[in-house]
Amino acid sequence: MAKKIITAKKVNVKDRICVSAYVTRDMHGKISQIAKSRELGISDIVREAVREYLAKQEALKAEA
């Protein structure tokens, strides 16, 4: 099995907050397939998506 590569800095567990969301079964299946193909967990994919979303929002804010 390949090693997971995590680009974010290591964060102390006390600095983390659990965020949960309900998604459709179809969306879950798609996320699972992506995660499996990249040898990552669903949480890794969700964190990546949130980072991308926040970066996009910051870029939009900077343009305004």
Side-chain angles (χ1 to χ4, degrees):
M1 177 181 265
K3 290 184 181 179
K4 290 183 185 178
I5 299 174
I6 299 178
T7 57
K9 68 178 184 174
K10 296 212 180 221
V11 179
N12 187 341
V13 175
K14 292 179 183 178
D15 294 334
R16 292 184 178 202
I17 296 173
C18 179
V19 177
S20 62
Y22 287 96
V23 297
T24 63
R25 290 186 185 275
D26 183 53
M27 190 180 296
H28 181 269
K30 289 176 182 178
I31 295 169
S32 295
Q33 286 177 339
I34 294 167
K36 187 175 181 179
S37 71
R38 295 177 56 195
E39 296 184 358
L40 297 171
I42 292 176
S43 294
D44 298 316
I45 300 297
V46 172
R47 281 190 292 271
E48 182 178 319
V50 170
R51 280 192 297 272
E52 289 177 13
Y53 177 82
L54 292 174
K56 181 179 178 181
Q57 293 303 308
E58 288 295 320
L60 291 173
K61 185 177 175 182
E63 290 176 4

